[in-house]
Each structure stands twice: as structure tokens, then as C-alpha cells.
Amino acid sequence: MADSNFIDYVKIYCASGHGGAGSVHLHRAKYVPKGGPDGGDGGRGGHIILKANPQFWTLIHLKYRKHVKAEDGGKGGAALCKGKNGEDVTLDVPLGTVVKDAETGEVIFEMVDAGEERILCKGGRGGLGNNNFKSATQQTPRYAQPGEDGEEGWFILELKLLADVGLVGFPNAGKSTLLSTITSAKPKIADYAFTTLEPNLGIVKYYDDRSFVMADIPGIIEGAHEGKGIGIRFLRHIERNSVLLFMVSAEEGDINAAYKTLLNELKQFNPELLDKERVLAVTKCDLIDSAAMEKLKKTMPKKIKSVFISSVAQTGLDELKDKLWKSLTK
């Protein structure tokens, strides 16, 4: 994956700006020997802001930017002049970015709406100038507040792709072939396991100018939740999908057993995934004859919409689109 532009995980250090110190100043002018305090307030430190930008689809622009520092606020001045606010730093991130505290792993917030802006590190407040501390009993205060420190820390940014349909299946189950057949996506396709090493997105065109987004993730194997194969690194990309399309090759022999294995891996990763709408596609049906097909149908799981397809022969694809669309609009 060294040559890949798809980066879905980065760890960065962010520090907002410190607030500027308030000014200690006494007004002096001709014929005004005792003008009183006129020290201005310090400026606010710059924020670190995250902005959800729909034109971004990867975190690669932050991969080599490990340290992000905002500008400090300016000091207050005489004549009640307020210090300049520190310049904010805005980081664009893709929709679906999850922000976590690197030390605790706690989710701070998620970016799901286009144009949404959230403050990751708030700039320190500027200190008050000595003008704020004058009173009837203390008319010439000679002190002011220092500016507040900014916020800092290490943060983890994880990307969860936003798609309507997520493909779930074993390696070499035909997920990438299906994606390349019914969308304009061009994923890598080869006759060996783990050909797909990064998620791919494609737009499926339906009737009457309607469409939906399909996401293909690397294949999972039994024991993935324990770290086998590629593990569960990419399963988070289907957490925001509305429908899960399970894909099992006709070469498996026992469709129900293969389906239960995939279902168990999702359950071990996140039980909430089982609440999503599901459709089952038996792939590579062009490789078996009618007798084997009838035998295969006896091993089909119950209570799930299923369809037999062949991406190479392009059979069953319209039926698959219909079932997916009905599940999406249910």
C-alpha cells in the first residue's frame, strides 16, 4: 500500500494559540497628569478548526503534517487598544471523519455534514488590561491578566466512508468485479486473495436518473476480529452504510455456512451492524451447471433477500439492483 493515495488513519499533534497578555498602562497627556489606567485587553489565541469538505476523500494531506500550531494572540496596548486575535488554522477533512483522543481512544466528534466546522483546540482567552480593575478604592491598578494557555494534544483522525451499500465477503468473492461491472469504478482485479487492499467507491446508476453509492472493502476471513488476514481495519467503512450486500461465491458449496461466518465476524466487530438491511448475492454462478445450482439452493440461508449473479456473464445484475434499491428505500 506504499503507493496508495488512500489514507484513512492519521495521528497529529495540535496546539491552539495562547491568549495575549493584557496591558498595564496609565494614560498620560498634556494637562492630564493623572489620566488613569487605559491598558487594553490581549487578543484571543487562534483555534484549530476541522472543516468537512466533500471534495476530499482521503486524509493523505495530513499524513506528513504531524504538528499543527495556531498563532498566539497579540498583547494589549495603550489607549484601550485590544491585542490582535491569533489566526485560526482550518484543516479540511473528508466527510465521515471521526476524531478521537489519542491517549484515551474516546470519540470527540464526527464530521458528517458538508461544510460543517468544529473547533478541535480552542484558543486561549486574552488577558484583561488594567483598565478592567479600576475601582473607587483602587483608581490606578498597576497589574493586568496574562493570557490563557491554548489547548494541545495528540489526536487520531479515522475515516469512515459514507456509502449506501457496503460489500461484505471473503477474499476473491467477486466484489471488485461486481463494482467494476455495475459502476465506472476501476478497482484492481486478479485471481488471487486480497487483491483489494483499500476501499473503493462506485456510483450505481438505477432507473429514472436515480443512483446509489456502493463501497467495496478488502475481503474478510474467519478470525478477522482476532487480527487474521487484514483483520478488521477496514470494517469501520461499512458502519455508515445503509445496506450490507453479502457476497458468497458459488464455489463455496455451503452458502449458509459461509454467510454465518461473515455474519459472526461483523457481530464480533460491532453488533449494531446486524441491525442493518441485508441482501445476499451468490456470485460466479457461470462456473456451475444447473444440477450444482439446484444443490446449492438447498444450502441458502432463510429470512434474507438473495439473488444469483454472474458479473462476467452479466446475469442477475438488474435483479440485484432492484433488491438493493428496495432495501435502501424501505
Side-chain angles (χ1 to χ4, degrees):
M1 294 183 62
D3 58 345
S4 172
N5 288 329
F6 183 81
I7 301 297
D8 60 357
Y9 177 100
V10 294
K11 183 178 180 181
I12 60 175
Y13 174 83
C14 294
S16 59
H18 300 308
S23 171
V24 178
H25 190 270
L26 300 177
H27 177 67
R28 291 292 180 265
K30 191 174 182 180
Y31 307 120
V32 188
K34 296 181 179 179
D38 67 347
D41 301 339
R44 170 186 62 79
H47 299 320
I48 304 293
I49 301 173
L50 297 188
K51 180 179 180 180
N53 190 334
Q55 296 183 351
F56 283 70
W57 66 282
T58 174
L59 295 169
I60 191 171
H61 60 293
L62 298 176
K63 182 179 180 181
Y64 303 106
R65 189 177 179 180
K66 292 297 183 182
H67 295 80
V68 181
K69 178 73 170 70
E71 186 181 33
D72 293 337
K75 295 180 179 180
L80 301 179
C81 290
K82 187 179 185 298
K84 175 188 173 185
N85 289 337
E87 186 174 352
D88 298 334
V89 175
T90 300
L91 303 176
D92 289 309
V93 296
L95 272 67
T97 299
V98 179
V99 184
K100 296 181 179 180
D101 185 295
E103 293 186 4
T104 64
E106 177 185 2
V107 175
I108 302 174
F109 55 78
E110 302 183 17
M111 310 289 289
V112 294
D113 298 318
E116 176 185 7
E117 293 188 2
R118 301 288 290 269
I119 297 177
L120 179 60
C121 291
K122 192 174 182 180
R125 290 186 301 179
L128 297 177
N130 66 338
N131 177 66
N132 296 274
F133 300 104
K134 64 184 179 182
S135 65
T137 58
Q138 191 177 28
Q139 297 183 1
T140 56
R142 287 177 168 81
Y143 58 86
Q145 284 183 336
E148 290 185 355
D149 292 336
E151 299 175 346
E152 59 182 324
W154 284 93
F155 301 93
I156 291 174
L157 305 185
E158 288 183 349
L159 176 60
K160 294 181 182 179
L161 293 178
L162 299 177
D164 299 308
V165 178
L167 305 185
V168 181
F170 295 120
N172 218 26
K175 301 186 298 300
S176 297
T177 304
L178 173 66
L179 189 71
S180 67
T181 301
I182 64 176
T183 76
S184 297
K186 301 298 180 185
K188 182 179 179 181
I189 300 173
D191 190 21
Y192 56 83
F194 296 114
T195 306
T196 301
L197 293 176
E198 63 184 42
N200 293 291
L201 289 176
I203 298 177
V204 180
K205 294 183 179 179
Y206 196 57
Y207 303 112
D208 300 328
D209 295 327
R210 292 174 290 182
S211 63
F212 55 89
V213 180
M214 180 176 285
D216 171 28
I217 67 169
I220 58 177
I221 64 175
E222 185 173 7
H225 68 278
E226 298 173 348
K228 294 183 179 178
I230 300 182
I232 59 175
R233 174 183 170 189
F234 295 105
L235 282 180
R236 66 172 178 271
H237 289 297
I238 61 174
E239 287 185 318
R240 289 209 179 94
N241 300 162
S242 301
V243 176
L244 301 182
L245 176 58
F246 288 79
M247 299 184 63
V248 179
S249 172
E251 299 172 306
E252 290 287 342
D254 190 336
I255 303 299
N256 189 43
Y259 170 70
K260 286 185 175 180
T261 299
L262 293 170
L263 209 59
N264 181 62
E265 293 303 320
L266 296 192
K267 181 180 179 181
Q268 296 293 334
F269 173 70
N270 183 355
E272 293 182 1
L273 290 175
L274 303 189
D275 297 332
K276 295 181 180 291
E277 286 287 317
R278 288 174 248 159
V279 177
L280 172 64
V282 180
T283 65
K284 303 183 180 181
C285 291
D286 57 306
L287 300 180
I288 58 176
D289 56 24
S290 57
M293 178 70 75
E294 292 302 319
K295 184 179 179 180
L296 199 64
K297 289 180 179 180
K298 297 178 181 179
T299 69
M300 295 293 290
K302 309 297 182 183
K303 298 181 180 180
I304 181 174
K305 290 175 282 189
S306 58
V307 58
F308 292 84
I309 67 171
S310 169
S311 299
V312 175
Q314 296 196 12
T315 57
L317 300 183
D318 288 338
E319 182 184 357
L320 175 62
K321 291 181 183 180
D322 290 338
K323 291 184 181 296
L324 291 174
W325 185 259
K326 289 179 181 178
S327 296
L328 286 169
T329 56
K330 185 176 179 179

